[in-house]
Amino acid sequence: MEEDVIVRAIDVGFGNTKHTLFRPKRGEITCDFFPSIAPPMQSSGKIDLAGQLYQRHNVVNVRVGNVTYVVGKDAYLSQDASFGRTLDQSYAMSDAYMALVRGAIAYMNVPRIDVLVVGLPVNTHHELSEALADRLTGFHPIPGPEGSEVEIEVGHVMVLPQPVGGFFDYSTRNKVYATLSKQVNLLIDPGYYTLDWVVAHGIKMVNTRSDAHEGGMSSILASIADKISQEIKTPIKDCTRIDDAIRTGTNPRFNGKEFDLSEVIHVGEEKARQFISVLANKVGSAVDIDNIILVGGGAAFLQDEIQARFPNHTITIADDPVFANVRGFQLAGEQYAASEKFLAKWRSIHAA
């Protein structure tokens, strides 16, 4: 692939937005993420997030239409009590989604993007992929230096089913692409709002056995939060502390006291079993499945339940599974950008 062709990937999830930052030739893909929160910027005049506060809060202000949104690792500091995450199937066509994409582009710090790869849940990919690609192609207003605004052009957009990114990542990183491309693979992606899975012969999806079930880690966390609320007699509406505790193997704190998560984790595990049952019924007999690969932020939590449901298989978790999909998107984009079909068009556009 020619050095000047810029390929980047973004995986906008309901929980976090993952994106690639840098990819040296034959080197590791550098990734980062921020929560998928995009509250509208407050216009009270008391806080200038684009000025001094930007140095303290890790956020960028991005414009979508006439509304400016606050996006980044510290975006939660700009949300009020009435703000909530967007959790529905039309999420990818919302202004909040566009704000998250533009925030990721701002963090990339590139002059343009020749090939951008994004993903969609399996159950909305067929319906929304073309419209999303059209929406993301073109110019995006991005914050520039000293409060200015610059236009970053996205030349070509690829939209993949999210778990397919995990396949590209796992097979490439482990140098087994040639082998897996001839086998039947089950890719499972426990996301924040949906549990996605793909059954594929190589990279050819078997649509009748692939799907997504609404109620991913958000439902699991909510069920645990409800149980904790009963125990401490205080309603818990924000599951961030529970999510962080599960991910880090620690206990969350409520009302200034540590809560023993082991006392209520069984509630989340039961919810996970329900989701895995839906998946297993759709996949059907797994006797023809050669590989079961887990990606996504909820991979570790669901591993035991998936292993119990498929006891005759070895369940493999991708390295650093939170970034597996977006790394795979990057690899797929680079593969496309190296094709002669793309390069011929790219050279004609960028010829001096």
Side-chain angles (χ1 to χ4, degrees):
M1 186 179 65
E2 297 191 5
E3 185 176 359
D4 290 336
V5 178
I6 300 175
V7 179
R8 290 294 183 269
I10 303 173
D11 182 15
V12 180
F14 291 99
N16 291 300
T17 296
K18 288 77 65 177
H19 57 95
T20 56
L21 286 170
F22 183 64
R23 162 73 155 162
K25 283 190 174 181
R26 294 179 295 278
E28 282 293 322
I29 300 170
T30 302
C31 305
D32 203 354
F33 76 97
F34 53 84
S36 293
I37 297 172
M41 182 178 174
Q42 300 298 318
S43 58
S44 63
K46 296 179 181 178
I47 298 176
D48 179 12
L49 288 171
Q52 287 185 322
L53 196 59
Y54 180 78
Q55 299 172 6
R56 300 197 300 272
H57 287 183
N58 188 351
V59 296
V60 292
N61 302 322
V62 293
R63 180 174 58 83
V64 181
N66 295 321
V67 179
T68 299
Y69 296 86
V70 182
V71 175
K73 289 184 180 294
D74 296 332
Y76 68 95
L77 297 173
S78 298
Q79 65 183 16
D80 59 30
S82 65
F83 179 81
R85 294 176 188 264
T86 303
L87 297 177
D88 61 57
Q89 292 189 4
S90 61
Y91 178 46
M93 304 309 294
S94 68
D95 286 349
Y97 181 101
M98 180 65 85
L100 295 170
V101 168
R102 289 178 176 171
I105 293 174
Y107 278 117
M108 291 174 185
N109 193 27
V110 291
R112 68 177 189 280
I113 300 176
D114 297 303
V115 178
L116 175 65
V117 187
V118 298
L120 281 173
V122 175
N123 60 342
T124 60
H125 180 265
H126 177 73
E127 177 186 355
L128 298 179
S129 58
E130 186 175 342
L132 180 59
D134 289 342
R135 192 165 189 242
L136 297 183
T137 302
F139 290 90
H140 295 268
I142 301 298
E146 299 181 0
S148 64
E149 187 175 271
V150 297
E151 296 278 340
I152 302 297
E153 183 179 11
V154 174
H156 180 83
V157 176
M158 297 172 60
V159 183
L160 301 178
Q162 285 169 329
V164 172
F167 172 82
F168 274 102
D169 176 67
Y170 177 81
S171 61
T172 302
R173 289 168 68 87
N174 293 279
K175 298 180 173 59
V176 291
Y177 180 85
T179 300
L180 266 61
S181 64
K182 300 174 184 176
Q183 296 178 339
V184 180
N185 307 292
L186 170 58
L187 290 303
I188 304 175
D189 178 13
Y192 190 79
Y193 178 61
T194 59
L195 171 66
D196 286 70
W197 66 92
V198 165
V199 174
H201 289 272
I203 58 172
K204 296 180 180 178
M205 230 169 67
V206 182
N207 292 329
T208 56
R209 301 172 72 183
S210 305
D211 208 343
H213 180 66
E214 292 183 14
M217 286 302 296
S218 61
S219 291
I220 292 172
L221 294 171
S223 66
I224 296 173
D226 287 344
K227 185 64 175 177
I228 295 175
S229 296
Q230 296 172 22
E231 296 290 332
I232 66 175
K233 296 179 173 54
T234 304
I236 299 172
K237 297 181 179 181
D238 186 353
C239 297
T240 301
R241 291 191 177 193
I242 303 171
D243 190 13
D244 291 341
I246 291 174
R247 188 162 33 83
T248 58
T250 58
N251 286 321
R253 293 177 64 85
F254 302 104
N255 296 328
K257 301 175 184 177
E258 185 174 303
F259 185 91
D260 186 357
L261 202 57
S262 66
E263 296 181 359
V264 298
I265 200 69
H266 66 278
V267 176
E269 292 170 345
E270 174 56 34
K271 182 70 72 172
R273 277 192 287 275
Q274 296 173 17
F275 297 159
I276 300 306
S277 293
V278 174
L279 178 154
N281 290 336
K282 183 76 172 185
V283 170
S285 173
V287 68
D288 65 329
I289 303 291
D290 296 298
N291 308 286
I292 299 179
I293 302 168
L294 270 173
V295 301
F301 188 86
L302 268 69
Q303 183 181 16
D304 290 344
E305 300 301 333
I306 294 173
Q307 184 66 77
R309 192 71 190 204
F310 300 99
N312 297 320
H313 288 77
T314 298
I315 309 300
T316 302
I317 295 185
D319 294 336
D320 201 1
V322 171
F323 293 117
N325 285 342
V326 77
R327 289 193 306 256
F329 294 166
Q330 177 76 25
L331 294 168
E334 291 176 2
Q335 186 179 88
Y336 172 75
S339 68
E340 194 54 44
K341 177 182 177 181
F342 171 82
L343 287 175
K345 181 179 179 180
W346 185 85
R347 291 186 186 112
S348 67
I349 294 173
H350 293 277

